[in-house]
Amino acid sequence: MRRDAGPGTAGRGAAGGDAAARAGRGFVALYGLQRAGDLRYVFSPYRICPLGAHVDHQDGVVTGMAIDQGVVVAFAPRADGRVRGASADFPGEVAFDVRAVPPAVPGEWGAFLGGAALVLQDRVTYGVDLFVLGQLPIGGLSSSAAVAIGYLLALEHANTLQVTPEENALLVHRIENEYVGLHAGVLDQSMILFARRDRLLRLDCRSGAREYVAFGTPDAAARPPAIAIAYSGRSEALVGTGYNQRVAECRAAAARLLELAGHEIPPGGARLRDVPPDVYARYGPALPAPLGRRAAHYFGEQDRVEAGMDAWRAGDSVRFGHLVTESGRSSIEKYECGAPELVALYEALMATRGVYGARFSGAGFRGSCLALVDPEATTAVGQEVRARYLRAYPQYAATFGFFRCASGPPARLVIPERHSRGHLPREVP
Ligand code: GLA
């Protein structure tokens, strides 16, 4: 990743390839050098989702990739079943026994560690000491799912459990929905666990079917757009925002449409995926506000996903970017999310030459925008977007960040080759 313009979040080290070494140093500072020989690492990447926003919880079809930036968990197994954890990004240490996981405290960073221990509780006897850090500022990049996967992989390794990525994706869903209280879909963990470098992944959140698509045809030597993350300077927790309310509105819209068409409501409750497009075409106009807008976002977004896959396959950055921007507009106008800062950042990106397309990254209540940028123009784009955005929000001058990233592989465990005392790897491969 390259930082192209402006300083990052105050108090965070420069993001870069030394994240594992920093995590290792954080671990040693807390738990002592005598444990350093047992250190292992999980690298759990952030995800982007250019098209298919806010549809995963309705079992829709999404697109995404993992990027080369993410969360690093440095950990060492413990035979006594204790779990201790600390974070570079939040104060306070979390400590409990794997056989007696405390209830989640809403908004606490340690909730995801407790949740990971809880969903594995029947299968684990070993605990871990761990230290976690994130490479980019928090918000919109799926850091929650990334840390949840980091903790799961650490506990599974400590207990020599064989768990498939498919099962881990379900475990993250349980952590978020049952323990933390966020009614999220499967987008984040699926991208983090199933991504392939330089491929756009199309995921059907209902069937789980995955399709990986390269940009352009091999003979045309098409160059994909550069991936940039523009951080607004605003980070705040997702539970307590309108996230769960929007999920409930989508489900109410689905139930109403099925009722109007005289269809049965599925036993688990209705989702927009249960509504055939022709039923939506016929009864959509009868939906009351704001349910009509939520359904309009869902069906529009599903069309954009399919058009976007075609554009990606054809190597058409302009067309793909245009669809991403339309998706962003639909998130603002029809899904009605987007903190004011994120809307301003989106507008700043739209007004900047060299940006093919942009939208909020993630739920849109905080954090970052994703931009797809002409690879030759990223530095100039970063400077211009920074200047435009800070004209509206000068208070974020110290925290705004513009990061050029690349597509990357999925979450993985890294065991240093030499487990000598004090040996720390320099870089996560
Ligand atoms: C957050 C959630 C995801 C998804 C996105 C919006 O990242 O965790 O499940 O709903 O928002 O697409």
Side-chain angles (χ1 to χ4, degrees), residues 8-45:
T9 307
R12 301 174 58 90
D18 66 345
R22 282 195 292 127
R25 283 196 295 275
F27 179 98
V28 167
L30 274 170
Y31 303 118
L33 199 55
Q34 69 278 11
R35 304 226 60 213
D38 299 331
L39 264 173
R40 289 113 164 84
Y41 299 82
V42 176
F43 182 77
S44 191

Side-chain angles (χ1 to χ4, degrees), residues 246 249-250 272 290-298 334-336:
R246 290 289 179 281
E249 287 164 355
C250 288
L272 284 164
L291 305 190
R293 291 195 290 277
R294 307 298 178 257
H297 172 77
Y298 175 88
K334 302 215 165 69
Y335 202 72
E336 291 176 284

Side-chain angles (χ1 to χ4, degrees), residues 47 49 52-57 142 176 182 184-188 238 243 362-363:
R47 63 93 192 89
C49 170
H54 324 297
V55 301
D56 61 338
H57 48 69
S142 73
E176 287 181 330
L182 184 69
V186 296
L187 165 74
D188 298 350
L238 210 59
Y243 188 90

Side-chain angles (χ1 to χ4, degrees), residues 3-90:
R3 170 182 282 275
D4 276 328
T9 307
R12 301 174 58 90
D18 66 345
R22 282 195 292 127
R25 283 196 295 275
F27 179 98
V28 167
L30 274 170
Y31 303 118
L33 199 55
Q34 69 278 11
R35 304 226 60 213
D38 299 331
L39 264 173
R40 289 113 164 84
Y41 299 82
V42 176
F43 182 77
S44 191
Y46 303 121
R47 63 93 192 89
I48 56 168
C49 170
L51 293 167
H54 324 297
V55 301
D56 61 338
H57 48 69
Q58 299 306 303
D59 286 354
V61 180
V62 298
T63 70
M65 282 184 169
I67 60 173
D68 61 347
Q69 295 291 293
V71 161
V72 179
V73 178
F75 72 99
R78 293 176 62 115
D80 64 359
R82 293 290 293 165
V83 172
R84 294 189 299 176
S87 163
D89 304 300
F90 299 98

